[in-house]
Amino acid sequence: MHLPKKVTICDVGPRDGLQTICTAITTAAKIKLVEGLAAAGLARVEAGSFVNPRVMPQMADSGAVLAGIIRRPGVRYRALALNARGWEQAQAAGADHLCLVVLASETFQQKNARSTVAGVMAAYAPVVTAARAQGVYVQGSVGTAFGCPYEGAIASGRILDLVRQWVDYGADEVSLADTTGMADPRQVLDLCTRVRERWPALALSLHFHNTRGLGLANVLAGLQAGVTIYDASVGGLGGCPFAPRASGNICTEDLVHMLHCLGIETGIDLEQLCQVASWLEATLGLPLSGQVMKAGPRWQTHRGGGA
């Protein structure tokens, strides 16, 4: 296998993870989570989203979270937005990394934002220009890139066309998102190879869910295609609220553990990250799906029993 030497991870737990939790979570706890992830060595943390609070009430305090964190040098604090108003709110809160999302599936786009794919993309053009003019790093995301629970398979030509539009707009990075966990490794390798062949200089990232247990296998396929930027969620928390039975994101600790086993650098302190995951589990009062936070890394040894 031809694997990269270093990988960058963005932890989306404070946004993609917490948005699925129905019980109230204090702003202070969210700030502690963001700061804990940054302290563990995450180069990027998705601190919140600026969307309709009636649809995503858990994200209503994203502005307060971004304003309240103590920022670490070298860390990007990402915010998600779905329209120009969301960008304006993210800018006011001091987000230095903006993620704009379009869904490749027309059906899913309607459910997610009540708009057409073409309409969403047209509205994003001036947002990308304005954000980059302010020195904000812009990431254009293509959701349901590997399939839709309502429409099924999405033609690769449609995905490539949306990537082209993001590139034409001047996005700093393009993400392919497996919004509902439908990707498989062969599909990931094929699509990522096509994107990299057409735009070899493009910063390409991947966002996987572990809905069907293929999350880390899909990362391995992405690595083989040369992709070096991945989203993951602390403790494996999260899932898409608009997709039937869509469980959580790939787990950050489990991903870091696999990468370290492969000799790939992440800059992340795995032990410290597991402590953040354990704290989050206790804070939420919910069992998280991460495995390494429970079992420890494979290189950890224990004293044997016996007489």
Side-chain angles (χ1 to χ4, degrees):
M1 291 187 293
H2 298 285
L3 302 177
K5 294 182 178 180
K6 186 176 182 180
V7 158
T8 298
I9 299 174
C10 177
D11 195 293
V12 300
R15 195 281 301 178
D16 203 356
L18 294 184
Q19 73 177 11
T20 63
I21 303 299
C22 297
T23 55
I25 304 165
T26 67
T27 302
K30 294 175 184 178
I31 290 172
K32 184 174 180 178
L33 175 59
V34 172
E35 292 179 344
L37 292 168
L42 272 297
R44 303 178 179 187
V45 181
E46 191 169 68
S49 65
F50 293 89
V51 296
N52 189 332
R54 293 191 298 274
V55 178
M56 290 292 177
Q58 194 67 261
M59 294 292 102
D61 61 347
S62 290
V65 172
L66 274 161
I69 55 177
I70 298 175
R71 304 190 179 215
R72 297 178 72 89
V75 178
R76 283 198 193 130
Y77 296 91
R78 190 168 92 185
L80 180 143
L82 299 178
N83 50 41
R85 177 172 173 77
W87 144 242
E88 292 167 359
Q89 294 172 326
Q91 179 188 27
D96 53 19
H97 183 157
L98 178 68
C99 180
L100 302 171
V101 181
V102 65
L103 285 304
S105 161
E106 287 287 356
T107 304
F108 210 109
Q109 183 64 61
Q110 286 287 346
K111 289 181 176 292
N112 192 60
R114 298 181 181 179
S115 181
T116 65
V117 174
V120 168
M121 285 304 294
Y124 278 151
V127 174
V128 175
T129 301
R132 295 196 73 213
Q134 294 296 320
V136 174
Y137 187 91
V138 178
Q139 174 182 336
S141 177
V142 180
T144 61
F146 300 95
C148 169
Y150 306 105
E151 296 184 9
I154 303 293
S156 59
R158 182 170 181 79
I159 306 302
L160 294 174
D161 183 59
L162 290 170
V163 172
R164 177 192 58 78
Q165 290 184 63
W166 283 125
V167 172
D168 290 347
Y169 286 175
D172 297 287
E173 176 182 319
V174 176
S175 172
L176 301 179
D178 185 25
T179 311
T180 61
M182 296 179 69
D184 66 73
R186 182 167 59 179
Q187 182 189 25
V188 171
L189 181 60
D190 177 69
L191 183 57
C192 291
T193 299
R194 292 189 185 194
V195 172
R196 286 181 55 78
E197 285 177 347
R198 187 169 298 188
W199 298 281
L202 174 65
L204 178 65
S205 58
L206 292 168
H207 176 109
F208 292 124
H209 286 212
N210 199 42
T211 309
R212 293 166 177 85
L214 290 175
L216 293 186
N218 289 331
V219 169
L220 191 58
L223 293 171
Q224 289 178 286
V227 181
T228 60
I229 309 171
Y230 294 87
D231 285 352
S233 179
V234 58
L237 186 66
C240 180
F242 300 106
R245 296 176 288 181
S247 55
N249 297 264
I250 57 172
C251 173
T252 309
E253 315 89 77
D254 295 355
L255 172 59
V256 171
H257 180 259
M258 183 185 80
L259 294 173
H260 288 184
C261 287
L262 293 171
I264 298 173
E265 298 176 16
T266 65
I268 295 170
D269 185 322
L270 181 58
E271 181 180 356
Q272 192 170 349
L273 178 60
C274 286
Q275 291 173 359
V276 174
S278 296
W279 168 82
L280 180 60
E281 185 174 63
T283 299
L284 297 177
L286 298 170
L288 301 183
S289 62
Q291 299 299 305
V292 176
M293 64 178 284
K294 302 179 181 74
R298 63 178 296 275
W299 51 84
Q300 183 181 72
T301 58
H302 304 272
R303 293 185 62 182

